[in-house]
């Protein structure tokens, strides 16, 4: 039996669903998902996705009313959960799982986290819809600019507090640079430390980025460029001279986006995510070449990944992250995202990957060694047994065939057949070594 259709659904998707037939032509199925525009999810109960101004309005109302007391709901937390649960529900339901994987990959590359406080949690939904989703199959430089200019990123990495020391605002207030965003763009988003940039490069880049901030208390809500806070004069970043001003920032970001070190760094991360924890140099070299030759065309990369022989053999070699594991479990059982979105949100937290709440700006890890361990495995088994208890009306062998098809070994099939109850059988499927992987 040809296993490539189900491999495509597992390796490049979010796991099969019983109501979504496997593709007859896996490559054509994946290609279809990276064509055309994306449709942002609308959270349940709303008629339109919340905008930046909506999040800031909730923040202003909370400030006016005072912080909620013990036992009272925090409206910002409620807004955050509505957005996060809607995003998880979309992952469970979607018929375009490869596109969702790309969204998740780039959102993790450009991490913003609820741990950044209200500047992030008020606008993280718009960040996903406006900065990430429209660009995951566009050019990397456009994605980088959209992310940099979004108030979620400006707030998360403290750019609003960075003032040019010699700017009018700096001379008046005595305030200075905050290098967080400049440093993370170099280290995590573009060239990486392998480019051997220096502290002088970080400082010069931070000076170049001064002036970029966001307005949350009055119109126009969102990103602004404050000339009065911008450090005057030219700056040298990695051997390139940039003049002062708003346009120079964009010029520098495009320079970094198309740097050879950036292509090499992105190629390694993409290969590690979609192919192997330690991807062959031949694979990273091919992706790097595509980025270089196409000017950072992410659609070209997304189309090339499934066409690499290394992406198919061996199957089930990558460990699913907790978010992907929870998503795949509910998909295999044919659950509705609206019905189990909140359960998925709690499940991600219980498995140590709370949604949109990465611990550090470098996002969640992407190798098995970072998720494996006695305690995380016990937590997965506990979660699998609990989840199985909610879906015991389903026939276990049907779930097994949906989830793994011909990739399920005889030992797992025999164990499921011999299980003492439907709940035990379903828990065995979700806890099996094969289902843990993609």
């Amino acid at each position: 039996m040809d296993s490539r259709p189900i491999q495509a659904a597992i390796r490049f998707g979010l796991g099969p669903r019983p109501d979504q037939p496997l593709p007859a032509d896996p490559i054509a199925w994946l290609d279809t998902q990276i064509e055309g525009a994306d449709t942002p999810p609308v959270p349940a109960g709303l008629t339109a996705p919340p905008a930046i101004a909506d999040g800031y309005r909730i923040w202003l109302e909370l400030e006016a009313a005072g912080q909620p007391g013990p036992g009272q709901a925090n409206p910002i937390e409620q807004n955050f959960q509505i957005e996060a649960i809607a995003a998880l529900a979309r992952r469970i339901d979607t018929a375009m799982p490869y596109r969702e994987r790309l969204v998740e990959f780039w959102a993790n590359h450009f991490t913003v986290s609820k741990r950044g406080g209200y500047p992030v949690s008020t606008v993280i939904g718009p960040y996903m819809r406006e900065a990430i989703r429209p660009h995951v199959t566009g050019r990397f430089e456009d994605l980088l600019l959209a992310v940099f200019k979004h108030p979620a990123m400006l707030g998360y990495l403290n750019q609003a507090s960075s003032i040019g020391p010699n700017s009018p605002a700096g001379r008046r207030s005595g305030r200075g640079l905050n290098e967080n965003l400049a440093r993370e763009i170099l280290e995590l988003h573009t060239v990486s430390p392998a480019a051997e940039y220096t502290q002088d490069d970080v400082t010069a880049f931070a000076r170049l980025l001064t002036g970029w901030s966001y307005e949350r208390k009055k119109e126009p809500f969102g990103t602004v460029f404050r000339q009065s806070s911008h450090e005057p004069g030219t700056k040298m970043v990695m051997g390139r001279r940039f003049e002062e001003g708003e346009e120079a920032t964009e010029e520098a970001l495009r320079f970094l986006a198309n740097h050879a070190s950036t292509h090499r760094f992105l190629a390694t991360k993409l290969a590690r995510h979609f192919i192997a924890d330690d991807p062959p140099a031949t694979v990273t070299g091919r992706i790097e070449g595509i980025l270089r030759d196409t000017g950072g065309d992410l659609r070209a990369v997304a189309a090339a990944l499934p066409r690499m022989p290394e992406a198919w053999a061996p199957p089930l070699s990558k460990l699913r992250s907790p978010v992907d594991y929870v998503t795949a479990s509910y998909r295999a059982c044919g659950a509705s995202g609206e019905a189990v979105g909140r359960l998925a949100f709690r499940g991600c937290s219980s498995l140590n990957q709370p949604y949109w709440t990465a611990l550090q700006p470098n996002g969640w890890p992407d190798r098995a060694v970072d998720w494996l361990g006695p305690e995380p495995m016990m937590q997965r088994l506990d979660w699998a047994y609990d989840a199985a208890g909610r879906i015991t009306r389903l026939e276990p062998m049907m779930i097994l065939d949906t989830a793994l098809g011909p990739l399920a070994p005889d030992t797992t099939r025999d164990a499921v057949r011999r299980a003492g109850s439907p709940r035990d059988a379903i828990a065995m499927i979700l806890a099996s070594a094969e289902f843990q992987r993609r």
Side-chain angles (χ1 to χ4, degrees):
M1 179 180 289
D2 182 9
S3 64
R4 285 170 64 92
I6 198 163
Q7 281 193 64
I10 294 173
R11 173 59 63 91
F12 291 100
L14 292 163
R17 287 184 59 93
D19 54 356
Q20 294 177 1
L22 293 175
D25 183 338
I27 297 297
W29 178 66
L30 295 167
D31 281 349
T32 299
Q33 298 179 51
I34 59 175
E35 299 298 332
D38 192 9
T39 304
V42 179
L46 303 180
T47 57
I52 291 171
D54 295 322
Y56 287 162
R57 187 183 62 253
I58 296 172
W59 192 353
L60 289 172
E61 290 172 353
L62 179 63
E63 286 183 326
Q67 290 296 314
Q72 293 181 311
N74 184 318
I76 293 179
E77 174 63 21
Q78 288 178 315
N79 181 64
F80 172 83
Q81 289 196 20
I82 287 171
E83 290 273 25
I85 290 168
L88 283 166
R90 180 184 175 91
R91 288 168 60 83
I92 292 166
D93 292 337
T94 185
M96 301 178 66
Y98 186 30
R99 184 124 195 166
E100 289 302 308
R101 286 281 305 282
L102 293 169
V103 168
E104 202 74 25
F105 173 84
W106 289 112
N108 195 51
H109 180 76
F110 291 111
T111 289
V112 299
S113 169
K114 178 186 170 187
R115 293 171 65 90
Y118 291 172
V120 175
S121 56
T122 51
V123 294
I124 195 168
Y127 175 74
M128 296 296 296
R129 286 187 290 272
E130 298 166 5
I132 299 293
R133 285 185 172 277
H135 300 289
V136 299
T137 54
R139 294 199 176 277
F140 179 72
E141 62 182 20
D142 295 329
L143 174 59
L144 176 64
L145 259 71
V147 163
F148 165 76
K149 289 184 178 181
H150 201 278
M153 183 61 79
L154 295 172
Y156 179 52
L157 291 174
N158 313 113
Q159 181 59 30
S161 66
S162 186
I163 308 294
N166 298 303
S167 68
R171 291 196 301 272
R172 184 172 61 251
S173 66
R175 296 167 62 188
L177 298 176
N178 184 310
E179 297 182 346
N180 284 357
L181 181 54
R183 186 182 305 281
E184 303 303 14
I185 288 175
L186 292 170
E187 179 180 341
L188 302 178
H189 302 162
T190 60
V191 294
S192 83
E196 298 183 342
Y197 57 81
T198 67
Q199 177 57 42
D200 287 345
D201 291 316
V202 174
T203 300
F205 191 35
R207 291 176 184 273
L208 185 60
L209 300 188
T210 52
W212 288 97
S213 184
Y214 61 94
E215 178 58 67
R216 72 172 185 88
K217 293 190 174 182
K218 61 183 180 181
E219 296 281 0
F221 295 104
T223 302
V224 294
F225 181 76
R226 305 188 197 281
Q227 184 67 45
S228 62
S229 297
H230 183 61
E231 178 74 358
T234 60
K235 296 92 178 171
M236 290 288 292
V237 180
M238 296 189 67
R240 179 72 66 93
R241 179 182 297 277
F242 298 96
E243 303 300 326
E244 66 181 70
E246 184 176 347
E247 292 182 358
T249 305
E250 295 194 6
E251 182 187 348
L253 289 169
R254 294 189 190 281
F255 161 68
L256 293 171
N258 291 290
H259 197 284
S261 295
T262 300
H263 293 157
R264 195 168 306 122
F265 180 51
L266 297 180
T268 301
K269 289 191 71 172
L270 283 157
R272 176 170 296 138
H273 183 75
F274 285 102
I275 294 179
D277 283 7
D278 297 306
T282 51
V283 170
T284 57
R286 270 178 277 165
I287 300 172
E288 180 184 346
I290 293 168
L291 288 166
R292 179 192 62 234
D293 298 341
T294 64
D297 186 342
L298 301 183
R299 177 180 283 117
V301 173
L305 283 166
R307 288 174 166 81
M308 296 183 182
E310 296 88 343
W312 302 89
L316 306 180
S317 58
K318 285 283 297 183
L319 186 74
R320 279 174 164 149
S321 69
V323 170
D324 282 346
Y325 176 63
V326 170
T327 303
S329 297
Y330 284 128
R331 285 177 65 87
C333 299
S336 154
E338 183 174 351
V340 300
R342 184 169 292 279
L343 290 174
F345 181 76
R346 292 172 181 163
C348 294
S349 296
S350 69
L351 297 182
N352 301 316
Q353 194 181 16
Y355 203 53
W356 289 348
T357 314
L359 304 181
Q360 300 291 337
N362 59 350
W364 297 108
D366 207 6
R367 299 181 303 172
V369 67
D370 297 309
W371 294 111
L372 283 174
E375 186 173 349
M377 283 299 105
M378 284 301 298
Q379 290 169 334
R380 287 198 186 206
L381 300 184
D382 289 344
W383 184 87
Y385 193 70
D386 181 71
R390 301 175 188 275
I391 48 181
T392 52
R393 69 186 185 284
L394 299 180
E395 164 56 40
M397 293 306 294
M398 184 199 76
I399 296 175
L400 181 61
D401 286 335
T402 296
L404 293 168
L407 300 178
D410 291 341
T411 51
T412 299
R413 290 186 176 277
D414 290 343
V416 172
R417 288 193 189 96
R418 292 197 303 267
S421 68
R423 179 177 188 174
D424 289 349
I426 295 170
M428 283 183 186
I429 296 167
L430 303 184
S432 67
E434 302 80 35
F435 189 80
Q436 304 273 348
R437 294 181 175 272
R438 58 176 170 80

